[in-house]
Amino acid sequence: MSGRADSDTGPQTADGETVAGQDEADDLMEDARRARWTAAATGAALTVAGLAAALLRLTGSAPALVPAAYAGGAAVCAAAAVLGSRGRTRRALWLLVAGVMVMALGDQFD
C-alpha cells in the first residue's frame, strides 16, 4: 500500500475531475460572470447619468466646459461598460473611476 489513508481526493466524476474541484471552478466562473455584469451595468448607469447631466447643464447658464466635462466623463464610462462586458473588469473599474473624476471636475467649473 503506497499512500496515506487521509489523502483521499473525494468523489470523482467520469472524466477524473473531482466534484469539489468542479464546484470551485463553477464558483469562480460565477464570480467572473457577476463581475462582468456589474462592470457593464455600472458603466451604463454612469453613462446615462453623465449624459443627462450634460444635457441639463447645456440648457442652463453654465460655461461650455461643464457639459463637455460631463459628456467626456460619460464617454469614458461607456468605454468602461464595453470593457467590463468583455471581461476586462479591472481596467473597467479604473475607467469608471476616471470617468466619475472627470464629471466631478466638470462640476467644479460650475
Side-chain angles (χ1 to χ4, degrees), residues 55-66:
L55 288 174
L56 286 173
R57 299 295 183 168
L58 191 62
T59 60
S61 62
L65 188 59
V66 175

Side-chain angles (χ1 to χ4, degrees), residues 51-102:
L51 289 176
L55 288 174
L56 286 173
R57 299 295 183 168
L58 191 62
T59 60
S61 62
L65 188 59
V66 175
Y70 277 115
V76 172
C77 289
V82 170
L83 282 178
S85 69
R86 292 183 179 175
R88 304 289 187 184
T89 54
R90 188 173 298 152
R91 290 183 181 131
L93 173 66
W94 285 109
L95 280 179
L96 288 172
V97 169
V100 170
M101 287 176 63
V102 168

